[in-house]
């Protein structure tokens, strides 16, 4: 073992491997050989086994304004094996199977020590091109040009380097093509329903956008015992798919006629839904979701990734007089190290089914 940290022959040395690089916004990713530097103190180098595609990757692949930057290695839903670790890393060792996460949990700051927040203040979430501690990159191309990181993970590479506060050790028996989904999709959707909204049994839930996050919300709402789970989308074909995830009714937002979407929801629900989840990333849809909530106790949870500079416009009269709640939920309110193992146990105990999320490879 080298310094008691690794038996790998590559430990402490750069690794040459392949990665999919975004060189121009919206252009096809380019498969290239790159160099991945060894981990610095408090860092872990990971061999990626499996990575999935989140729509946030597509959003930032297309983005042409800051915080967009190129050349960049995207990807943030993944599972991998620890290849080597830097100094001061004791949580994981080479050979451990881990999920890298875009949200940190240092376990020391006031937020991490509180049950009320999953937003670490010592290593705050950023759309950042660098490693969180050192403000530099571990990637270069074969010409020596720096390649930027994405969401502290950059999983579209055979090897990546991640800060230890962004690494969760998991049971190696969990299939990688299921485990990777817990790095964003499952945690965000299920967490938002079960932890942030705390959906009550017998309640009515409306989900705006039936992509993977919306379908994960449906899973979470079903786990909580929601009575009605109404899906809203512009694509009617998604309803048949969504039924498998627990969605009971469907609204095609293109077929509302002269009525607003919120008016249709209110009519269907007798005054508004108990819980609304915005899973697309449109300010106008956030406003419709908020308007669709029942007065007095309705909750709207925003999960969709908005374009930079997007603004909400809400009537102060409505906010004051309706008594409703509007909140965001980054990573579904889930604490990476504390809560992901609990979610994974619900999967291994067959309480939470995720097989339907894997459509193709």
């Amino acid at each position: 073992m080298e310094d008691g940290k690794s038996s790998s022959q590559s430990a402490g040395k750069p690794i040459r491997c392949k990665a999919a690089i975004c060189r121009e916004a919206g252009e096809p990713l380019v498969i290239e050989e790159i160099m991945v530097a060894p981990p610095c103190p408090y860092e872990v180098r990971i061999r990626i086994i499996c990575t999935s595609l989140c729509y946030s990757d597509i959003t930032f692949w297309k983005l042409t304004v800051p915080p967009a930057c190129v050349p960049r290695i995207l990807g943030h839903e993944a599972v991998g094996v620890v290849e080597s670790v830097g100094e001061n890393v004791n949580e994981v060792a080479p050979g451990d199977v881990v999920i890298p996460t875009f949200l940190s949990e240092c376990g020391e700051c006031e937020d991490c020590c509180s049950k009320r927040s999953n937003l670490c203040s010592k290593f705050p979430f950023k759309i950042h091109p660098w490693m969180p501690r050192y403000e530099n990159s571990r990637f270069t191309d074969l010409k020596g040009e720096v390649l930027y990181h994405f969401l502290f993970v950059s999983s579209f590479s055979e090897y990546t380097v991640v800060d230890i506060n962004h690494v969760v050790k998991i049971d190696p028996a969990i299939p990688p093509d299921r485990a990777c989904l817990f790095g964003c999709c499952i945690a965000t959707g299920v967490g938002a329903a079960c932890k942030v909204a705390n959906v009550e049994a017998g309640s009515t839930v409306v989900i705006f956008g039936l992509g993977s996050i919306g379908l994960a919300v449906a899973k979470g709402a079903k786990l909580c015992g929601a009575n009605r789970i109404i899906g809203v989308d512009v694509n009617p074909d998604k309803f048949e798919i969504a039924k498998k995830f627990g969605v009971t009714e469907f609204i095609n937002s293109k077929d509302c006629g002269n009525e607003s979407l919120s008016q249709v929801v209110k009519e269907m629900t007798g005054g508004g839904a108990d819980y609304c989840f915005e899973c697309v990333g449109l300010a106008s849809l956030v406003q419709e979701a908020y308007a669709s909530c029942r007065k007095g106790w309705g909750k709207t949870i925003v999960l969709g990734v908005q374009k930079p500079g997007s603004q909400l416009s809400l009537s102060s009269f409505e906010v004051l007089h309706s008594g409703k709640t509007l909140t965001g939920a980054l990573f579904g309110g889930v604490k990476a190290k504390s809560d992901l193992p609990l979610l994974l146990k619900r999967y291994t105990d067959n309480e939470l089914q995720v097989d339907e999320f894997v459509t193709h490879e």
Side-chain angles (χ1 to χ4, degrees):
M1 285 203 173
E2 185 174 326
D3 299 326
K5 291 289 185 182
S6 175
S7 57
S8 169
Q9 292 182 347
S10 57
K13 304 172 185 174
I15 286 179
R16 183 167 172 164
C17 68
K18 290 182 179 178
I21 302 171
C22 174
R23 290 223 169 251
E24 295 293 337
E27 293 296 316
L29 304 185
V30 182
I31 306 295
E32 294 183 22
E33 287 200 327
I34 66 165
M35 301 302 295
V36 182
C40 290
Y42 301 100
E43 294 180 350
V44 179
R45 189 160 59 185
I46 301 167
R47 176 174 61 85
I48 297 295
I49 303 173
C50 184
T51 183
S52 49
L53 178 67
C54 174
Y55 204 85
S56 296
D57 296 306
I58 297 173
T59 298
F60 281 91
W61 166 63
K62 293 178 178 178
L63 199 63
T64 57
V65 296
C69 59
V70 292
R72 185 174 229 166
I73 299 176
L74 298 167
H76 65 283
E77 267 187 355
V79 64
V81 176
V82 175
E83 173 270 337
S84 61
V85 301
E87 295 176 14
N88 306 317
V89 172
N90 301 305
E91 283 183 46
V92 297
D96 286 344
V97 179
V98 296
I99 293 175
T101 62
F102 66 85
L103 210 59
S104 66
E105 185 181 350
C106 73
E108 298 173 352
C109 71
E110 184 176 354
D111 295 285
C112 287
C113 292
S114 169
K115 292 181 179 180
R116 294 178 292 179
S117 174
N118 69 333
L119 303 176
C120 177
S121 51
K122 191 173 180 181
F123 296 96
F125 174 77
K126 303 175 185 175
I127 310 296
H128 204 48
W130 309 118
M131 296 297 293
R133 291 177 197 261
Y134 303 104
E135 302 272 320
N136 54 18
S137 175
R138 300 289 166 269
F139 303 123
T140 52
D141 63 16
L142 296 189
K143 296 178 182 177
E145 181 185 2
V146 168
L147 304 172
Y148 298 117
H149 290 252
F150 180 62
L151 295 184
F152 306 124
V153 176
S154 291
S155 58
F156 292 173
S157 174
E158 291 180 310
Y159 286 84
T160 188
V161 179
V162 181
D163 191 279
I164 187 57
N165 288 321
H166 294 260
V167 174
V168 180
K169 182 179 176 180
I170 68 167
D171 182 350
I174 300 173
D177 60 353
R178 304 300 189 265
C180 64
L181 298 169
F182 287 79
C184 182
C185 166
I186 302 296
T188 299
V190 175
C194 297
K195 193 169 182 183
V196 178
N198 195 19
V199 170
E200 294 178 321
S203 60
T204 297
V205 170
V206 180
I207 302 168
F208 296 79
L210 295 176
S212 59
I213 298 294
L215 296 175
V217 170
K219 283 280 187 181
K222 189 177 179 182
L223 275 177
C224 294
N227 184 42
R228 297 175 70 186
I229 304 174
I230 303 169
V232 179
D233 206 284
V234 295
N235 182 358
D237 295 338
K238 287 190 176 180
F239 184 36
E240 286 304 313
I241 299 168
K243 285 178 182 178
K244 300 176 184 177
F245 295 80
V247 174
T248 58
E249 299 157 74
F250 180 74
I251 299 172
N252 185 338
S253 53
K254 286 185 175 180
D255 295 339
C256 293
N258 295 324
E259 293 185 307
S260 67
L261 186 51
S262 57
Q263 285 175 316
V264 173
V265 171
K266 285 178 180 177
E267 289 170 9
M268 284 183 68
T269 58
D274 301 303
Y275 306 96
C276 290
F277 296 85
E278 198 282 339
C279 305
V280 177
L282 290 174
S284 58
L285 203 55
V286 173
Q287 288 156 208
E288 282 295 306
Y290 184 74
S292 299
C293 269
R294 179 173 290 277
K295 69 180 188 305
W297 67 70
K299 289 184 180 179
T300 298
I301 293 88
V302 179
L303 301 172
V305 177
Q306 300 272 336
K307 290 183 179 179
S310 296
Q311 299 289 319
L312 291 177
S313 178
L314 296 173
S315 159
S316 59
F317 180 89
E318 184 185 10
V319 171
L320 175 62
H321 287 253
S322 67
K324 299 185 286 191
T325 301
L326 174 65
T327 185
L330 195 60
F331 203 42
V334 167
K335 288 179 180 287
K337 296 177 187 288
S338 304
D339 295 332
L340 273 188
L342 301 177
L343 271 179
L344 287 161
K345 189 175 188 305
R346 297 184 87 165
Y347 166 68
T348 56
D349 288 347
N350 294 316
E351 183 184 352
L352 173 60
Q353 304 294 326
V354 301
D355 291 355
E356 300 94 337
F357 286 93
V358 181
T359 55
H360 57 281
E361 293 187 8

